[in-house]
Amino acid sequence: MRRSTLFFVILTILSFVFLPASAQDKLAGRWEGKIQSMQGERPTTAVFKKEADGYAGKMPGLRPGTEIQLKDVKLDGDKVTAKADVETPQANVTINYTFTLAGDELKGQGAVDFGGQTITFEMSLKRVSNDTEAPLAAAGQAAQAPGGGGQRQQPRNEVSQPQQKQSIDYFAGQWSYSYIGRESALGPAPRDCTVSFTKRADGVSVEGATQCRHDGGMLKGNTVIVFDEAAKSLSFTEKTDNGVTLTSKGNWSSPIAIRFTIDPVKAKGQTLQLRRTISIVAAHSFTVTEELSEDGGPFVRLGNAVYTKAVK
């Protein structure tokens, strides 16, 4: 009897020790799924690893072959939260993730605060493995075919970042944006604006009328954009009713970013030099980041905005 009891105890202990990882920890493992954002839907992967003081995690980075390290990963009941610091062309931003865990499914969203505006994207993931050591690039590229047999599916093609064709047609239409930043001799801030670009008869330019509301009233302006197809460049001429005219040239050789060289101007007794970068997010969204040098001083952040195109 004693021997039988001892055998039962040993068997129970061994059964507990060799429980599968998914039963030992409901978050640790490899997860695959989709991200749904303004850019459309794309696949993604997340790996969570149990550590003594909590969890560590990682996801694919914005550029191929890079990774985002997840920090402050917390599991509270069926709620999972995490953060990630990401470097973008505009600035370093923090993504806040919130998920609901239900068995082998994680659903939730990521949220980014960009210049006072919150941009969110939806995520849906499923656990595919308890392996937390393999590179992210290997995740989901092979799986057993239905019915077993050990056959493997062909690796999935890498999904590249959506890119917009460089064309003057991209700007044509009505856009709205909120400019978040500080006031300067170039204009008031913050301000809420709309701009309507109409394609001109030459086929390579648009003309836009801008109206902005701010605490002090209204600011109106007119902008002409000319696109050089061969050089992949843009010429901007911007005039506002406060007497400021900006002339600039933008390099659009990259389909995801436009970097501008802007002629210095004099306004309210100051010599001003503006720097501007446009980042193309999607067919209906782009961001603007501006820096300003006053009287030859260092460039400091002036403001930024997220433009959203009206959908007909």
Side-chain angles (χ1 to χ4, degrees), residues 98-293:
T98 57
F99 296 101
T100 298
L101 175 62
D104 284 341
E105 292 190 351
L106 269 177
K107 292 185 178 181
Q109 67 173 209
V112 180
D113 181 84
F114 188 85
Q117 301 182 61
T118 300
I119 302 173
T120 62
F121 50 91
E122 301 298 318
M123 299 181 65
S124 179
L125 304 168
K126 287 188 176 182
R127 188 200 301 271
V128 296
S129 169
N130 295 316
D131 182 10
T132 61
E133 301 299 333
L136 284 175
Q141 290 187 352
Q144 285 194 348
Q151 294 182 347
R152 295 187 177 272
Q153 297 174 345
Q154 293 296 321
R156 292 183 298 194
N157 294 329
E158 181 180 345
V159 178
S160 60
Q161 180 180 355
Q163 296 180 351
Q164 303 302 315
K165 175 179 172 58
Q166 296 102 314
S167 168
I168 195 64
D169 293 331
Y170 178 79
F171 291 96
Q174 181 174 316
W175 301 78
S176 61
Y177 65 95
S178 293
Y179 188 90
I180 308 297
R182 62 183 179 87
E183 186 170 346
S184 72
L186 294 177
R191 55 187 184 268
D192 295 315
C193 309
T194 60
V195 55
S196 296
F197 289 111
T198 302
K199 194 172 182 180
R200 301 201 298 188
D202 59 15
V204 297
S205 64
V206 294
E207 184 170 5
T210 303
Q211 295 191 41
C212 298
R213 293 185 179 274
H214 56 90
D215 288 343
M218 293 287 295
L219 177 68
K220 297 182 179 180
N222 180 270
T223 302
V224 174
I225 306 174
V226 181
F227 179 57
D228 185 334
E229 171 73 28
K232 291 294 188 291
S233 65
L234 294 167
S235 297
F236 271 55
T237 303
E238 304 164 72
K239 298 179 180 180
T240 59
D241 57 9
N242 63 359
V244 176
T245 298
L246 293 175
T247 303
S248 59
K249 188 169 185 177
N251 182 336
W252 203 359
S253 57
S254 166
I256 63 174
I258 309 171
R259 290 177 172 82
F260 287 85
T261 301
I262 303 176
D263 294 342
V265 297
K266 287 189 176 292
K268 297 184 178 180
Q270 292 180 300
T271 299
L272 306 174
Q273 177 76 63
L274 187 66
R275 287 201 305 212
R276 176 186 295 155
T277 300
I278 289 179
S279 294
I280 308 298
V281 177
H284 54 272
S285 179
F286 65 87
T287 67
V288 173
T289 302
E290 293 183 334
E291 297 176 312
L292 182 65
S293 168

Side-chain angles (χ1 to χ4, degrees), residues 3 5 8 13 22 48 82 163 174 179 222 241 267 270 304:
R3 186 172 299 174
T5 303
F8 177 77
I13 292 173
S22 59
F48 296 98
Q163 296 180 351
Q174 181 174 316
Y179 188 90
N222 180 270
D241 57 9
Q270 292 180 300
N304 51 56

